[in-house]
Amino acid sequence: MNFDTSIPIYLQVGNDLKGKIASGQIQPGEKLPSGRELAQQYQINPNTAARVYQVLEQEGICETRRGLGTYVVEEIGMQQKVREEMARDLTRSFLERMRALGLSGEEIGKILKEEENR
Amino acid sequence: MTLQTKEAEKNYGRTKALQGVTFDIEPGNIYALLGPNGSGKTTWMKMAAALVRPSAGGVLWEGEPVCAKTRSDIAYLPTEDFFYSWMTVEEVGKYFADFFADFSMDRYRALCGQMELPEKQKVRTLSTGMRAKCRAAAAMSRAAKVYLLDEPFNGIDLLARDQIMNSILETSSPDNAVVISSHLVEEIESAVNRAIFFRDGRVAADLDIEELRAREGKSLADKYRELMQGKEV
C-alpha cells in the first residue's frame, strides 16, 4: 500500500480495512490478522498496527476476544453502516474538489450521469 | 531497559563528531536515526555499541556505561561487511553463534529462507543486496534488547529492502528497541514510530512520527527538509 506520509498511517490502514469490510472482502465475524501480522502486511510500525485496532474497536467495527485475537463484529447493519460512512466521506471530498473547479451542483450532476452512462 | 545517551561528546582531533548529545532509546519502539552523512549517526552507534570511547559524557545501559559486556544486550549491525569472504552463508551463522549466546541458528535459517539466501553459497560471490540481507539476517537472529542498524538499506533494491524490513518488523517487540540509521528518509518512513534527527553532531529533534503527521500535517521527509535547511550537503 502506498501511504500519504503526511497523514497518520493508522488512519490510512484503518480506512483500507474498513473498505474491505464495506465491500465484503472481509466478512462480519472474520478473524483479523494479529497486530504483528498487520504490521508486516502493510510494512508499518507494530505500535501503529495496534492503534489501528484500537480505533476500529472504538468505532464498534471490531472486537478483541481475549486470548483469541481481533474479530470483525457480527452486528447486523455494521457492514451497511461502514459502507454508508465511507461513501459519504468519498462524496464529500469529491464535491469539494468539483466545487473548487468552479462547477455548480447541477453541472456536477450532469457530468455524473454522463459518466455513468458511458 | 533504557539506553540513555547523556551529554555525549566525541572529538577526532579538532573535529567535533558529537556535541552534547542527549536522548533515550526505550523498548517497544523503532527509531529512525536521520541526518546527512557526517552528522554523527555512525559515531553515536559505535559509541552505543562500545566500539568508540566518548570524549566526555557517554551512553548508559541500565544505568551503567556501555562496555564489552553490554554488547550481549546491544546488537550492532555495521554498514560494512563483518564476515570473512571465504565463509558460506551458513558459516556466517555459525560464526555469529560462537560470538553471541542470544543467537538462534534456527531463526537465522528461517530468515535466510525468507530472504532467499542460499546457505551453501560463499559470501564472496553474493551481490551487494544479498550481502546486505545476510548481514541483516545475522543481526536479527539475535535476541537482543537493542538493535542498532547502520544504513541497512544502503545500495540495495526494493525487494531486498522489503525482505530486510520484514525481518526487522518481525523481530520488533514491546521488549526490545530497534534503531535504524539512514539518510534516505522515505525508505523507512512507515516502519518507524520515532525519529531522532542529527545535524552537525547534535540532536536537532526527537519526535513521535504519527504525532507529527496528526499535529503538523507533515511527513518525516518534510520535517527532515525543514530541519536541515541551510545545510550544505
Side-chain angles (χ1 to χ4, degrees), chain A:
Chain A
M1 186 177 167
N2 279 322
F3 296 111
D4 177 343
T5 48
S6 58
I7 297 170
I9 287 178
Y10 78 92
L11 290 176
Q12 299 179 62
V13 174
N15 272 334
D16 196 56
L17 288 177
K18 280 193 225 171
K20 286 178 177 164
I21 292 167
S23 68
Q25 224 177 308
I26 301 176
Q27 289 289 326
E30 199 175 315
K31 188 176 195 283
L32 292 165
S34 70
R36 189 174 284 253
E37 286 162 351
L38 193 72
Q40 282 176 49
Q41 244 175 53
Y42 286 90
Q43 288 224 328
I44 57 169
N45 188 271
N47 296 304
T48 309
R51 189 145 175 217
V52 170
Y53 285 154
Q54 269 170 28
V55 172
L56 291 184
E57 253 178 76
Q58 278 166 13
E59 293 180 10
I61 293 168
C62 67
E63 60 187 0
T64 304
R65 298 184 196 158
R66 199 179 287 176
L68 293 173
T70 305
Y71 291 78
V72 181
V73 298
E74 278 182 279
E75 213 177 276
I76 300 161
M78 182 279 292
Q79 198 182 14
Q80 185 62 36
K81 205 180 114 203
V82 171
R83 191 185 297 148
E84 169 101 19
E85 268 173 22
M86 290 196 84
R88 292 211 176 268
D89 279 349
L90 278 172
T91 310
R92 255 177 242 130
S93 68
F94 164 75
L95 286 175
E96 218 169 88
R97 290 162 80 175
M98 291 299 268
R99 287 194 195 109
L101 289 176
L103 292 160
S104 70
E106 205 174 317
E107 285 167 311
I108 297 168
K110 189 168 160 260
I111 293 171
L112 266 178
K113 261 209 187 93
E114 277 171 15
E115 283 297 315
E116 211 183 24
N117 295 331
R118 254 161 63 126

